[in-house]
Amino acid sequence: MPALNIVLVEPEIPQNTGNIARTCAVTGASLHLVGPMGFTPTDKKLRHAGLDYWPYLDLHMYHSLSEFFQKNNGNFFFFSTKAQHRHSDVSYPDGCYLFFGKESAGLPEDLLFQHPQACVRIPMLGGFRSLNLANSVAVGVFEVLRQWDYPQLECSGELRDYNWAAAKAAYPHSEFL
């Protein structure tokens, strides 16, 4: 399976990070947490938001961005409301890193300024600060996975109390079945 990496720079809200950890676990993405963080790794809210997905998560932790860059290299993409390119207009290669900033301020502007062609924006209406961090990560992750045709992910499911074959027989003219 291709490798996808999510990098959270100085996350502040444990529930967002817990939700992002769950997204990473169910999609096979690695999660990189760059400090300082607004919570500890043992925070109850963090653990609760991630539910029982923690054992399935590939988690890496760093004290600072400089430590992260000393230990990692590759194709970096910086998600920001300040970016000039749409996130869906970029081709994401295997092993890429999607960066997201802290809830209160986003990514450091000097980091964005140093990588103008790698900065991407999720389109939204003007006049608003941003999407929720966990939602932004989910949008980014699933755009990459869509481009990669959802490798090794289950793309269909089964009903608990019914089956799809019976639905198709009972509703043959339904355009969605």
Side-chain angles (χ1 to χ4, degrees):
M1 179 171 173
L4 177 58
N5 297 279
I6 303 307
V7 182
L8 301 184
V9 179
E10 300 180 12
E12 299 168 316
I13 301 174
Q15 296 91 327
N16 280 337
T17 301
N19 286 330
I20 292 164
R22 185 174 177 180
T23 297
C24 289
V26 303
T27 59
S30 296
L31 179 59
H32 302 260
L33 299 179
V34 178
M37 297 186 296
F39 50 87
T40 65
T42 58
D43 189 296
K44 288 172 80 172
K45 293 175 184 172
L46 172 74
R47 294 289 166 190
H48 180 71
L51 297 174
D52 55 351
Y53 291 82
W54 293 103
Y56 307 102
L57 179 64
D58 180 29
L59 179 62
H60 307 268
M61 298 183 71
Y62 310 88
H63 294 290
S64 65
L65 263 177
S66 59
E67 179 187 358
F68 173 86
F69 286 121
Q70 288 172 0
K71 295 181 177 181
N72 299 282
N73 57 49
N75 292 293
F76 301 137
F77 297 92
F78 304 95
F79 280 68
S80 173
T81 59
K82 301 168 183 103
Q84 301 292 300
H85 309 288
R86 292 188 307 188
H87 77 292
S88 55
D89 291 341
V90 173
S91 294
Y92 299 93
D94 182 11
C96 64
Y97 293 80
L98 309 184
F99 282 72
F100 298 85
K102 61 183 170 183
E103 291 88 342
S104 65
L107 290 168
E109 283 199 356
D110 62 330
L111 182 66
L112 302 175
F113 186 77
Q114 294 168 24
H115 303 92
Q117 295 304 316
C119 295
V120 297
R121 175 186 170 92
I122 299 169
M124 60 182 213
L125 292 174
F128 295 97
R129 277 190 313 276
S130 66
L131 291 169
N132 170 274
L133 179 60
N135 292 338
S136 295
V137 171
V139 168
V141 165
F142 280 95
E143 172 58 22
V144 172
L145 295 174
R146 182 196 65 79
Q147 289 184 16
W148 294 352
D149 198 28
Y150 305 103
Q152 297 184 350
L153 300 184
E154 291 183 12
C155 293
S156 65
E158 294 300 325
L159 298 169
R160 184 176 41 247
D161 298 326
Y162 300 92
N163 68 61
W164 289 118
K168 290 176 186 176
Y171 305 99
H173 301 291
S174 174
E175 62 183 279
F176 298 109
L177 298 173

